Amino acid sequence: MRTSLGTKPRSIMSAAAIILLCFMPFSVSAFATIQQQALHAPTKTIRIHTTLSLSNSDNNGGDDGGIDDFESNRMDIVRSLQKSFYMPESPTAIPDGDNDDETASYVTSSCPRAQLDESKGKIINLPLWRVGWIETPGRRNCLNVHEGIYTHMFESILSTQSETNDPLYFGHLYLPGGTKAAKSGEERYRLKTWREELDDDDRFDNYSKSSTLNAPEISTPSVDRSAVVGCLMQIVDHRRMEDGRLMLLVQAVERFVVDEVLETLPYSVANVQILLDKEDLQFKGDDNDKNEQVDENFCKYLRGDAVTASFFYHDYEFNKPKLPIGEKNNSYLSKDDVPWVEISNLLPFAEYSSDDVSLNAANEKSSSMQESLLASMNNGDASSNFAEGELSMEEQLFNGGILWDPPFIQNVIVRRSLDTSDCDALETLLWLAMDDFCRATGFNLPEEVRVLMPPEMDYLDQMPSEHALSPLYPKIRRQRRLSYLAPALIENLEEVGKGIRHIWLNTPSTNARLRGALERYDYLNNKLMGQFE
């Protein structure tokens, strides 16, 4: 893999990285997790797990001034090395052209800047944070990074901040056991591409369905192996701590699937394909046979247009708050300087921007993409010469069991008919079920969820948000956000919602997530009604 002009030679960077890692703070894991009351109810409490951390449990400092002096001197050396090592580098431009053989040649980990390749909808050169928990789009977290490998990774990412404040991305990928599992050498924990995962005959050996005596009718799929579907994260703000740790405010903006592994040391870097919902990218036109096969060679370029259009909405869908710690300067924060309560108010869900100026360009881009897609499909371009092609990536992922619909819950009275497939109808039914749930429990929906209420449903008991969404904002994207946030509200309630966040991440469509969430709210409402009879 060749090195781009203007970047440091790999040997120098590797040696410097080793020196830095030797001086970095010692720790067992890349983060610490605490429970935080992120939602408030007058009589009932629902807790959402988040990664607000910087726990005091790992502070082993004593009263010995000599130890304090040693630590201070050590951190001075670390910061001196950081200032000389993490220097801004010349950006690596993504070349024009459609030659897949060049994909790995225009990216190296010597220049860690992750960029969107608009031609194919891929994020190139994405650093991966492989940890033992799962994120889904629409969430926001405050991360405490204190393992040397990942402190190095995030410092490398922060060093690429441009004058135009382009987004700083990294990938969040589930790995049971985190770094400890990655170092175990077990094949199931090795970072793979989605094609390698499909070809792995042993990938279901660690697949199981667990249920409980309290709810034996609920079966939860679980996979004890490294995931290939992850979440694209954007760094919104950051602060450096006195002990060398990093505090990062991050938001989950899109899903991805690992397409090509570039490096695994000192941290993992990959090219990833952004994974859209079926509603965002329908490869079959109105006049086409729904059972007709579509060639991946045709799909990948239309997918690139659809992903680019999706990214246009990010400026409106994700505001960019600052950590409530004052202006950045050259000082380093101590744990006593961190306002825990104020930070918790930013979590666990992202908020929309009050400025909708970006929506005009986003809608224009989306409309142009849809017109191009429908024209190509109705002209039969996708199915021509399919015998020489392959199924679309999305169909391969679903057929191979990497993507799946939420498991059906038995013995539950559902509001919908079994043939309900319209997202508008499912959205309405889900809001009615959520309203019943809140009425029965006394739970108040957070502002970040109430803002998603359709304007015509102002008759619900839940008060509409004071900050209505722009009329320019497409309802299908509002429905997609709701399909992630509604399950998050009940993910810690009974067996119906526990431990299945990976299912919502791996669900192929907004429709399927809305249906899955509706079934679970109906299940809870059925139990609540039984208690009151």
Side-chain angles (χ1 to χ4, degrees):
M1 190 178 298
R2 65 172 180 254
T3 303
S4 306
L5 294 176
T7 61
K8 301 179 180 69
R10 184 181 298 271
S11 60
I12 297 177
M13 290 197 69
S14 299
I18 293 173
I19 295 175
L20 273 176
L21 294 179
C22 291
F23 282 100
M24 288 296 180
F26 302 103
S27 182
V28 176
S29 62
F31 63 95
T33 304
I34 66 170
Q35 286 189 342
Q36 167 211 334
Q37 184 174 346
L39 308 176
H40 305 285
T43 59
K44 300 288 183 179
T45 299
I46 293 181
R47 294 183 181 273
I48 291 183
H49 288 279
T50 183
T51 52
L52 175 64
S53 49
L54 288 176
S55 169
N56 290 327
S57 62
D58 55 2
N59 183 6
N60 297 320
D63 297 328
D64 191 339
I67 295 178
D68 291 341
D69 290 341
F70 173 80
E71 180 66 16
S72 177
N73 292 334
R74 186 174 73 88
M75 290 311 305
D76 287 342
I77 296 174
V78 169
R79 295 179 186 121
S80 178
L81 288 170
Q82 287 176 333
K83 290 179 180 178
S84 60
F85 180 74
Y86 298 113
M87 298 292 292
E89 299 181 350
S90 301
T92 304
I94 296 178
D96 295 330
D98 299 328
N99 186 355
D100 285 339
D101 294 336
E102 292 295 320
T103 301
S105 66
Y106 57 79
V107 172
T108 72
S109 62
S110 299
C111 183
R113 182 58 175 268
Q115 304 176 69
L116 173 63
D117 179 356
E118 296 185 359
S119 67
K120 300 181 182 66
K122 295 181 179 180
I123 298 292
I124 302 303
N125 202 43
L126 184 68
L128 299 179
W129 197 37
R130 304 176 67 200
V131 290
W133 52 283
I134 298 166
E135 278 290 11
T136 54
R139 298 183 71 99
R140 179 188 291 157
N141 268 320
C142 185
L143 307 182
N144 165 39
V145 184
H146 55 93
E147 186 173 1
I149 292 174
Y150 289 117
T151 304
H152 168 48
M153 184 185 86
F154 283 110
E155 285 287 7
S156 299
I157 296 173
L158 294 173
S159 72
T160 66
Q161 180 66 68
S162 66
E163 295 180 357
T164 57
N165 291 321
D166 292 333
L168 296 178
Y169 295 126
F170 69 95
H172 187 291
L173 197 64
Y174 175 63
L175 175 65
T179 303
K180 183 178 180 180
K183 294 178 179 179
S184 69
E186 292 193 43
E187 178 66 16
R188 59 178 170 160
Y189 297 139
R190 181 174 68 87
L191 178 63
K192 298 187 181 80
T193 68
W194 65 270
R195 294 181 185 275
E196 290 177 318
E197 184 73 355
L198 287 178
D199 292 338
D200 188 352
D201 295 333
D202 299 327
R203 63 193 179 97
F204 290 115
D205 289 353
N206 307 114
Y207 180 89
S208 63
K209 289 189 175 181
S210 60
S211 60
T212 67
L213 295 177
N214 294 330
E217 71 276 17
I218 301 174
S219 183
T220 302
S222 61
V223 182
D224 185 25
R225 60 190 292 112
S226 178
V228 295
V229 176
C231 215
L232 180 67
M233 310 294 292
Q234 180 180 353
I235 299 175
V236 180
D237 197 14
H238 72 279
R239 293 292 189 276
R240 292 180 174 87
M241 306 298 292
E242 284 182 342
D243 58 3
R245 306 179 183 211
L246 285 172
M247 178 187 293
L248 301 174
L249 186 63
V250 301
Q251 297 181 146
V253 295
E254 296 281 357
R255 297 186 300 169
F256 68 78
V257 62
V258 178
D259 189 65
E260 180 181 10
V261 177
L262 299 180
E263 288 194 9
T264 56
L265 293 174
Y267 52 84
S268 297
V269 181
N271 295 338
V272 303
Q273 176 67 63
I274 296 300
L275 196 58
L276 300 177
D277 282 359
K278 285 183 178 180
E279 293 81 2
D280 300 318
L281 186 59
Q282 300 183 23
F283 292 120
K284 299 177 182 180
D286 295 336
D287 299 332
N288 293 85
D289 182 357
K290 297 302 181 182
N291 295 321
E292 192 173 35
Q293 305 296 344
V294 182
D295 189 348
E296 168 62 16
N297 289 323
F298 167 82
C299 296
K300 60 185 178 183
Y301 300 109
L302 293 176
R303 187 184 297 116
D305 291 338
V307 169
T308 302
S310 182
F311 272 59
F312 268 68
Y313 288 102
H314 289 178
D315 284 343
Y316 179 70
E317 292 176 327
F318 302 93
N319 70 346
K320 298 176 177 60
K322 299 296 183 181
L323 287 166
I325 308 178
E327 296 297 327
K328 291 182 184 178
N329 49 48
N330 294 328
S331 63
Y332 296 88
L333 296 177
S334 68
K335 293 181 181 180
D336 295 335
D337 296 329
V338 180
W340 305 113
V341 175
E342 288 81 355
I343 291 178
S344 70
N345 292 333
L346 299 176
L347 311 178
F349 302 132
E351 298 175 332
Y352 283 84
S353 171
S354 59
D355 186 358
D356 65 353
V357 66
S358 63
L359 288 181
N360 286 321
N363 288 334
E364 182 178 348
K365 181 70 175 178
S366 179
S367 177
S368 174
M369 180 274 299
Q370 291 293 342
E371 291 175 1
S372 175
L373 176 61
L374 290 175
S376 298
M377 293 302 310
N378 292 327
N379 289 336
D381 296 341
S383 57
S384 60
N385 300 323
F386 177 77
E388 301 177 2
E390 62 177 341
L391 291 174
S392 69
M393 179 193 72
E394 289 79 3
E395 290 187 77
Q396 292 184 63
L397 292 174
F398 186 78
N399 294 342
I402 292 178
L403 299 181
W404 60 77
D405 289 340
F408 178 74
I409 300 180
Q410 300 178 356
N411 302 323
V412 58
I413 302 175
V414 297
R415 295 169 178 266
R416 64 180 181 86
S417 61
L418 294 179
D419 59 351
T420 300
S421 59
D422 179 68
C423 283
D424 292 349
L426 289 171
E427 179 188 36
T428 299
L429 292 174
L430 179 56
W431 272 107
L432 291 172
M434 292 170 62
D435 198 46
D436 287 346
F437 174 79
C438 292
R439 188 184 304 111
T441 61
F443 173 60
N444 290 323
L445 295 176
E447 167 72 15
E448 298 89 342
V449 176
R450 286 188 289 115
V451 75
L452 302 173
M453 184 186 300
E456 64 272 16
M457 297 191 71
D458 56 358
Y459 54 83
L460 298 178
D461 287 353
Q462 287 292 306
M463 293 296 295
S465 170
E466 298 179 357
H467 308 286
L469 293 179
S470 169
L472 298 175
Y473 187 56
K475 63 180 179 180
I476 187 60
R477 296 193 69 89
R478 179 190 71 203
Q479 292 162 353
R480 183 174 78 164
R481 179 75 75 94
L482 178 66
S483 72
Y484 283 113
L485 268 54
L489 298 174
I490 57 173
E491 64 180 7
N492 295 315
L493 290 183
E494 302 191 20
E495 292 73 15
V496 69
K498 289 182 179 179
I500 61 172
R501 193 184 292 184
H502 66 288
I503 290 180
W504 308 117
L505 181 65
N506 289 51
T507 300
S509 67
T510 300
N511 182 289
R513 276 193 302 274
L514 290 173
R515 283 190 287 109
L518 176 59
E519 287 181 0
R520 282 150 180 79
Y521 274 95
D522 281 338
Y523 173 89
L524 292 173
N525 288 336
N526 290 346
K527 292 193 67 174
L528 290 170
M529 291 176 63
Q531 291 176 359
F532 299 149
E533 289 178 353

